[in-house]
Amino acid sequence: MKNKRLRGSLFGLLVRSYLLFTLTLLLIASALFWLWNSRLDQIYQPPDWDGLLKDPALSAGAYQELTRYLKHGRGEFAIYDGDGAQVYASGGGFDKAYTAEELACILPYGEPVAVDVYHTTQPDGSHRHLLVRTVYQDGAQSPTPEIMVLDENLQVAFGGFGDGRSGYTQREFQLLSSNELFRAPFQTSDGRPMTAVLRVTLLSDAAYQTAYQESWRIWLLFLPLYLGVTALFIFQLRRTIARPLRRLNDAVVAQSENRPVQPGNWSGPREIRRIGESLDRFSQQLAESEAQRRQMDQDRQKLIADISHDLKTPITVIAGYIDAICDGKVPPEEQERYLRAIHGKAEALTELVNAFHEYSKVEHPEFVLRPERTDLCEFLREYLADKYDEIDLASFSLEVSIPERPVFCLLDPMQFRRVLDNLLSNALRHNRLGTALFFDISAGPKTALLRMGDNGAGIPPERAKRIFDPFVVGSEARSGKGSGLGLSITRRIMEKHGGAITLNPHPTPGRSTEFLLELPLASPPSEKDSEP
């Protein structure tokens, strides 16, 4: 039975499962790596200042709502009015007020400007501060940064940032050199000028190490995911391989216990399906063999019963007549009649034993023919000429149709003559006087066909099906003359010739019984065979 669920080979299934399992683990590892990397990115990710500054809640004064833009403690913001007074602060550490000069020292947000501060000590022991303000354009540093040198009193000793100032206060210097604060001016909804001071909190090394170590916990998910995927693949392989193997084992056990095995729609890999389909064929053949064995047992029992019946009848008659003569129960004038009856039964018994002998001989595996290249037409002419007197004395007529050209077949003359004798004797024995016998020969491209029939009583349809079985005769079973082995012997001899004999279910019009004898044609003789 063909399997409807197509699958590949077991090797291919294992390779696909291994590759799919490996790919799944790689995908899990990639997903965990992405989560871990995203977690690390969140550690460095600053607050969304752009979103905060564009949020309508800023101009509306709903500053508390803006705290949602602050992530992971990486920033805070404060709002100052036009006079520099603090209006709102999301966290501590902001000054309560700024002057205009102090606010001007805070780096503007969104402008590509950075201030680097370097502290130096002069030979006279005084301290100076070097401030370098760099402007970046398209990600590149400007070729001429602005430089300003402040003395230890924070007075401008050299250069400047173009604001015209000659000195700075300590607070202004701290704001100027800070890279954590940014200012962003905006207006409220009613037009009042305001300033947002944004503070970026730099992550310390200790905080980074703590966050980095905590991020490794994400990889702990790999173990349960690995176990889950492994269990899923084991379940799938069990379903694909173990179940079909278990069904196959159950079928083999059932077969070994002589329980009927129903053909199954085998699933699983190709090798398991093939074994299952082979088991189905084996079970079917075994069932057929068992049925044939039972039929052979029945035939053997019937054969023994028929042989016993055919032997018992003449032996019983012979024994009865001999006992009657020995006991003096037969008058002297009747003894000759009894002896002739005993002689007749003995001849019938001899004929029956000879038939058994011939049947056993042709059924023996070592039974062989001695074929010769023979013209079937000439062979049949000679046979009918030899049998003509016997046919004529039985008051049967003969109609023959034999082609003039030769039809060569490989025949064992003695055995094929026995075939014709069996068919002819059956026709003479079971038909009334005046029956016509028909013999026709025709040749095809590879075989020759001999039709042998008569227009007599015919064979009943219920017997025609088993006419070639042993001990089956054309008339009532086990009645009349004949052993019922002639046609069985005939079929065996025809099979040994490489041909066949059949009873035509639709005889030629004008005939009641017609046997078809088919023989393979002999190949033409080679030049080597024709040499003297």
Side-chain angles (χ1 to χ4, degrees):
M1 180 178 292
K2 297 295 183 182
N3 179 35
K4 297 179 180 179
R5 296 168 55 193
L6 298 179
R7 294 182 184 269
S9 66
L10 179 61
F11 176 76
L13 174 64
L14 294 177
V15 170
R16 289 195 304 272
S17 299
Y18 174 77
L19 293 178
L20 185 59
F21 179 74
T22 304
L23 179 60
T24 304
L25 292 183
L26 289 176
L27 290 177
I28 292 176
S30 300
L32 292 178
F33 179 79
W34 179 82
L35 290 175
W36 176 66
N37 194 56
S38 299
R39 175 60 179 170
L40 292 181
D41 289 342
Q42 290 176 356
I43 296 175
Y44 291 101
Q45 184 177 4
D48 184 11
W49 298 125
D50 291 333
L52 184 148
L53 295 175
K54 293 178 180 179
D55 196 311
L58 181 63
S59 58
Y63 306 124
Q64 184 63 35
E65 297 180 8
L66 301 177
T67 56
R68 64 178 181 271
Y69 293 99
L70 307 178
K71 299 178 180 179
H72 311 292
R74 292 294 314 283
E76 300 288 346
F77 70 95
I79 306 298
Y80 295 88
D81 59 15
D83 298 329
Q86 185 184 98
V87 177
Y88 173 83
S90 63
F94 287 98
D95 294 323
K96 295 299 182 180
Y98 287 114
T99 64
E101 291 78 8
E102 291 173 345
L103 286 175
C105 292
I106 299 175
L107 291 175
Y109 176 77
E111 294 185 9
V113 178
V115 176
D116 297 316
V117 179
Y118 304 94
H119 304 283
T120 63
T121 302
Q122 299 301 314
D124 57 359
S126 62
H127 300 283
R128 290 200 174 187
H129 310 283
L130 174 64
L131 286 78
V132 180
R133 186 167 69 174
T134 305
V135 179
Y136 295 88
Q137 296 179 354
D138 298 328
Q141 181 177 340
S142 62
T144 56
E146 296 179 313
I147 298 175
M148 180 172 62
V149 178
L150 301 180
D151 59 18
E152 58 185 3
N153 296 320
L154 302 180
Q155 300 300 308
V156 178
F158 176 80
F161 287 165
D163 52 4
R165 299 185 59 173
S166 59
Y168 296 87
T169 65
Q170 185 66 34
R171 188 177 180 187
E172 291 173 346
F173 175 73
Q174 291 177 351
L175 295 174
L176 185 64
S177 60
S178 174
N179 289 319
E180 298 181 5
L181 293 178
F182 301 91
R183 55 182 170 86
F186 68 96
Q187 290 184 347
T188 62
S189 56
D190 56 0
R192 290 183 293 113
M194 305 288 282
T195 301
V197 176
L198 313 176
R199 183 175 64 194
V200 178
T201 304
L202 298 179
L203 197 63
S204 64
D205 292 342
Y208 171 77
Q209 289 296 331
T210 300
Y212 183 80
Q213 293 175 359
E214 291 178 352
S215 67
W216 275 99
R217 296 178 182 176
I218 295 176
W219 290 101
L220 296 177
L221 295 174
F222 183 80
L223 181 59
L225 290 175
Y226 169 79
L227 295 176
V229 170
T230 303
L232 179 63
F233 273 85
I234 291 175
F235 172 77
Q236 181 64 25
L237 287 177
R238 179 181 178 87
R239 179 182 178 185
T240 308
I241 299 178
R243 287 186 181 179
L245 285 177
R246 185 167 57 251
R247 285 188 58 205
L248 189 61
N249 180 70
D250 294 342
V252 173
V253 171
Q255 186 69 66
S256 65
E257 296 175 352
N258 294 324
R259 290 188 282 113
V261 179
Q262 297 295 331
N265 185 14
W266 299 101
S267 60
R270 182 166 54 243
E271 291 82 357
I272 298 179
R273 296 200 312 272
R274 287 178 176 174
I275 296 175
E277 292 166 1
S278 299
L279 179 63
D280 288 343
R281 289 192 295 269
F282 171 74
S283 300
Q284 182 179 0
Q285 293 173 359
L286 194 61
E288 293 174 354
S289 299
E290 181 64 19
Q292 292 176 359
R293 185 191 64 79
R294 289 195 297 266
Q295 183 62 41
M296 290 177 63
D297 289 341
Q298 295 175 2
D299 293 342
R300 187 181 298 109
Q301 293 173 2
K302 183 178 182 298
L303 178 63
I304 295 173
D306 291 340
I307 291 175
S308 301
H309 177 272
D310 288 344
L311 293 177
K312 182 179 180 181
T313 300
I315 291 174
T316 301
V317 173
I318 292 173
Y321 284 179
I322 291 176
D323 288 342
I325 293 174
C326 292
D327 293 342
K329 296 179 181 180
V330 180
E333 65 275 9
E334 295 290 333
Q335 287 185 3
E336 183 179 358
R337 185 172 65 85
Y338 272 72
L339 292 174
R340 290 186 181 278
I342 291 173
H343 181 266
K345 292 298 181 182
E347 287 184 345
L349 188 60
T350 301
E351 182 182 352
L352 187 60
V353 171
N354 289 336
F356 292 153
H357 175 69
E358 292 298 329
Y359 177 74
S360 63
K361 186 168 65 174
V362 299
E363 289 293 330
H364 197 277
E366 296 182 358
F367 174 70
V368 294
L369 300 178
R370 293 176 176 82
E372 301 174 1
R373 193 171 186 271
T374 307
D375 181 5
L376 179 62
C377 298
E378 186 62 27
F379 183 89
L380 185 60
R381 290 190 190 100
E382 293 177 359
Y383 175 81
L384 293 178
D386 185 56
K387 293 290 183 177
Y388 181 78
D389 291 339
E390 181 181 349
I391 296 172
D392 184 60
L393 288 175
S395 300
F396 278 62
S397 61
L398 187 61
E399 297 185 15
V400 181
S401 176
I402 301 177
E404 294 296 329
R405 62 184 181 85
V407 177
F408 288 99
C409 299
L410 291 177
L411 299 179
D412 184 325
M414 185 182 70
Q415 297 297 337
F416 192 70
R417 187 178 183 87
R418 179 173 296 166
V419 169
L420 299 179
D421 285 343
N422 288 338
L423 295 175
L424 181 60
S425 63
N426 283 343
L428 297 177
R429 182 184 298 127
H430 297 291
N431 289 307
R432 61 185 179 275
L433 300 178
T435 299
L437 301 178
F438 303 91
F439 290 86
D440 305 331
I441 293 179
S442 60
K446 295 183 179 180
T447 59
L449 181 63
L450 169 59
R451 295 174 181 266
M452 183 175 178
D454 61 66
N455 61 356
I459 300 174
E462 63 274 8
R463 298 202 177 279
K465 297 179 181 179
R466 303 183 64 242
I467 195 65
F468 293 101
D469 293 346
F471 300 102
V472 176
V473 295
S475 59
E476 290 296 325
R478 317 309 314 144
S479 66
K481 297 181 180 180
S483 63
L485 295 174
L487 289 180
S488 297
I489 296 173
T490 298
R491 180 178 62 178
R492 182 62 174 168
I493 294 174
M494 289 298 297
E495 290 174 350
K496 282 291 186 178
H497 277 87
I501 179 172
T502 57
L503 179 63
N504 192 354
H506 305 289
T508 303
R511 305 178 188 182
S512 57
T513 303
E514 186 175 55
F515 288 94
L516 305 178
L517 288 77
E518 190 174 11
L519 291 167
L521 295 177
S523 58
S526 62
E527 295 181 359
K528 182 178 180 180
D529 295 335
S530 61
E531 291 178 358

